[in-house]
Amino acid sequence: MQLLCQIDTPDYDGWKKAFDADYEERMQAGLSQLQIWRDADHGSSVLVLFEVNDRKRAQGWITREQGFGGAMTCTFLETV
């Protein structure tokens, strides 16, 4: 199972620094980063694809991240 998150951030560099510092917390949530994409035209939108090892822990991570107030939407995906 994968998780695709879209994050809207006006400060990509600041977001990326905080995201990199959060590595251990994501690992504890059962998430492995697969890919990051950035909006080539505006730079204010980021897509992150994760491999999900534990959906319940991943959902807890999403809830905590959304609690910081930034615009973030996430979708769990299955290969069919």
Side-chain angles (χ1 to χ4, degrees):
M1 175 177 295
Q2 289 82 35
L3 175 65
L4 183 63
C5 296
Q6 179 175 347
I7 301 121
D8 294 325
T9 178
D11 176 16
Y12 173 80
D13 292 331
W15 171 85
K16 183 68 165 84
K17 185 175 181 177
F19 180 82
D20 290 345
D22 193 37
Y23 173 80
E24 288 294 324
E25 188 171 328
R26 289 190 307 277
M27 292 299 292
Q28 293 296 320
L31 296 170
S32 300
Q33 175 189 321
L34 298 175
Q35 187 70 45
I36 297 178
W37 297 276
R38 181 177 176 193
D39 182 324
D41 294 324
H42 307 289
S44 62
S45 182
V46 178
L47 293 170
V48 184
L49 180 65
F50 298 101
E51 181 70 31
V52 177
N53 299 313
D54 184 315
R55 184 174 177 155
K56 185 176 179 180
R57 289 188 305 169
Q59 186 61 58
W61 176 83
I62 293 167
T63 301
R64 283 190 304 278
E65 289 296 308
Q66 290 175 331
F68 291 123
M72 181 172 92
T73 57
C74 296
T75 304
F76 287 96
L77 303 168
E78 292 182 339
T79 302
V80 294

